[in-house]
Coordinates of all heavy atoms in Angstrom, one line a residue:
Q95 N -106.7 -116.2 34.5 CA -107.5 -115.3 35.0 C -107.3 -114.9 36.4 O -107.5 -113.8 36.8 CB -109.0 -115.9 34.9 CG -109.5 -116.1 33.5 CD -109.7 -114.8 32.7 OE1 -110.3 -113.8 33.2 NE2 -109.1 -114.8 31.6
G122 N -84.4 -84.7 38.9 CA -83.2 -84.9 39.6 C -83.5 -85.6 40.9 O -84.4 -85.2 41.6
L166 N -75.7 -124.9 52.2 CA -74.4 -125.4 52.7 C -74.5 -125.7 54.2 O -75.0 -125.0 55.0 CB -73.4 -124.3 52.5 CG -72.9 -124.0 51.1 CD1 -72.0 -122.8 51.1 CD2 -72.1 -125.2 50.5
I187 N -82.7 -126.1 59.5 CA -82.5 -124.9 58.7 C -82.5 -125.2 57.2 O -81.9 -126.2 56.8 CB -81.1 -124.2 59.1 CG1 -81.0 -124.0 60.5 CG2 -81.0 -122.9 58.3 CD1 -82.0 -123.1 61.2
I212 N -104.4 -117.2 58.7 CA -104.7 -116.0 59.3 C -103.6 -114.9 59.2 O -102.4 -115.2 59.4 CB -105.1 -116.1 60.7 CG1 -106.4 -116.9 60.9 CG2 -105.2 -114.8 61.5 CD1 -106.8 -117.3 62.3
S215 N -104.0 -107.6 60.1 CA -104.1 -106.3 59.4 C -103.7 -105.2 60.3 O -104.2 -105.1 61.5 CB -105.5 -106.2 58.9 OG -105.6 -104.8 58.3
T241 N -103.0 -99.5 68.9 CA -101.6 -99.9 69.3 C -101.0 -100.7 68.1 O -99.8 -101.0 68.1 CB -101.6 -100.7 70.6 OG1 -102.4 -102.0 70.4 CG2 -102.2 -99.9 71.7
L246 N -106.4 -110.5 70.5 CA -106.4 -112.0 70.7 C -107.9 -112.4 70.6 O -108.2 -113.6 70.2 CB -105.8 -112.3 72.1 CG -104.3 -112.0 72.1 CD1 -103.8 -112.4 73.5 CD2 -103.5 -112.8 71.1
P255 N -111.8 -125.0 61.9 CA -111.0 -126.3 61.6 C -110.2 -126.3 60.4 O -109.3 -127.1 60.3 CB -112.2 -127.3 61.5 CG -113.4 -126.7 62.3 CD -113.2 -125.2 62.1
L291 N -97.4 -121.5 63.5 CA -97.1 -120.1 63.6 C -95.9 -119.8 62.6 O -94.9 -120.3 62.8 CB -96.7 -119.8 65.0 CG -96.5 -118.2 65.4 CD1 -95.2 -117.7 64.9 CD2 -97.6 -117.3 64.9
Y336 N -83.4 -117.6 55.1 CA -83.5 -119.0 55.5 C -84.8 -119.3 56.2 O -85.6 -118.4 56.6 CB -82.4 -119.4 56.4 CG -82.3 -118.6 57.8 CD1 -83.2 -119.0 58.9 CD2 -81.4 -117.6 58.0 CE1 -83.1 -118.3 60.0 CE2 -81.3 -116.9 59.2 CZ -82.2 -117.2 60.2 OH -82.1 -116.6 61.4
R449 N -98.0 -95.3 54.4 CA -96.7 -95.8 54.8 C -95.6 -94.9 54.2 O -95.6 -94.6 53.1 CB -96.5 -97.2 54.5 CG -95.3 -97.9 55.1 CD -94.9 -99.2 54.6 NE -94.2 -99.0 53.3 CZ -93.5 -100.0 52.7 NH1 -93.5 -101.2 53.2 NH2 -92.9 -99.8 51.6

Side-chain angles (χ1 to χ4, degrees):
Q95 291 296 311
L166 290 172
I187 307 296
I212 290 177
S215 172
T241 66
L246 295 177
L291 186 284
Y336 64 77
R449 193 193 77 167

